[in-house]
Amino acid sequence: MGFFDFLKSKPKNNNKVVARNPLNLQVGDIVEYDLAEYKVIGKLIYEEGGYLWYDYHLFDGQKHLWLGAEDDDELEIGLYKKLDVNHQLYVQLQNETPKKLTYEGKEYTLIEGGKANIRAEGRVGAKTGQRVQYWDYEASNGSEISVERWGNELEISIGQEVKESLLEYYPGVSNE
């Protein structure tokens, strides 16, 4: 048997790795951004009226970020950091969701809101089947504020839209 015959005779590996993108990341995958590598440690899939979007909990060993992705006629990606619960915005938004709000001297305008059902994987602080109420605000410079109400708990994140070309995605190693 020649060398090339040997190569042809090797059993095929049926565990094909699927190229990753912001709409199919899995827990354990790696996202590279701004010279740092973040592991996907959790994933939320939001569903509202048949429409899906995703939030991925990223961790680089020191800092937590959230990567939001949705395909709303075009791919939209944002990176977010949760605000500390002692921030003044929590007091302001606890009982009302105004059409406009101010954060660090910038005015943000409410662009959408609604209620979504959740599917959860990994470390996300939520459970599959929960329902969340959400409001998204945007400033003229592209900065964004995401407000989510999980039952009686409020969660506020500050973010910025990012170009997909600034992100790299690598499939994680399966533990199976």
Side-chain angles (χ1 to χ4, degrees), residues 139-153:
S140 60
N141 70 349
S143 294
E144 300 171 346
I145 295 177
S146 171
V147 180
E148 295 180 341
R149 182 173 301 285
W150 299 84
N152 292 328
E153 291 191 32

Side-chain angles (χ1 to χ4, degrees), residues 46-88:
Y46 296 78
E47 186 275 327
E48 181 181 31
Y51 179 73
L52 301 176
W53 67 98
Y54 308 86
D55 275 353
Y56 303 97
H57 186 185
L58 307 179
F59 185 59
D60 72 352
Q62 296 178 351
K63 135 173 99 167
H64 293 269
L65 291 177
W66 288 82
L67 173 71
E70 67 178 295
D71 190 355
D72 189 10
D73 294 328
E74 64 181 53
L75 185 60
E76 297 176 19
I77 304 170
L79 280 171
Y80 299 86
K81 182 180 177 198
K82 289 185 183 175
L83 279 183
D84 185 273
V85 293
N86 296 319
H87 193 279
Q88 58 88 16

Side-chain angles (χ1 to χ4, degrees), residues 23-127:
L23 302 176
N24 73 355
L25 289 169
Q26 302 298 315
V27 172
D29 287 349
I30 303 296
V31 176
E32 185 179 313
Y33 173 71
D34 200 24
L35 303 176
E37 290 183 350
Y38 296 87
K39 185 173 186 176
V40 177
I41 63 171
K43 175 180 181 178
L44 287 171
I45 303 168
Y46 296 78
E47 186 275 327
E48 181 181 31
Y51 179 73
L52 301 176
W53 67 98
Y54 308 86
D55 275 353
Y56 303 97
H57 186 185
L58 307 179
F59 185 59
D60 72 352
Q62 296 178 351
K63 135 173 99 167
H64 293 269
L65 291 177
W66 288 82
L67 173 71
E70 67 178 295
D71 190 355
D72 189 10
D73 294 328
E74 64 181 53
L75 185 60
E76 297 176 19
I77 304 170
L79 280 171
Y80 299 86
K81 182 180 177 198
K82 289 185 183 175
L83 279 183
D84 185 273
V85 293
N86 296 319
H87 193 279
Q88 58 88 16
L89 271 183
Y90 278 88
V91 174
Q92 181 181 349
L93 296 172
Q94 192 62 46
N95 297 316
E96 67 170 330
T97 48
K99 300 260 188 243
K100 293 189 182 291
L101 57 90
T102 301
Y103 172 75
E104 292 188 346
K106 293 184 204 114
E107 185 174 83
Y108 290 78
T109 303
L110 181 65
I111 56 171
E112 69 179 324
K115 292 181 181 176
N117 295 314
I118 299 299
R119 279 187 279 156
E121 299 173 20
R123 293 178 28 203
V124 292
K127 293 181 180 159

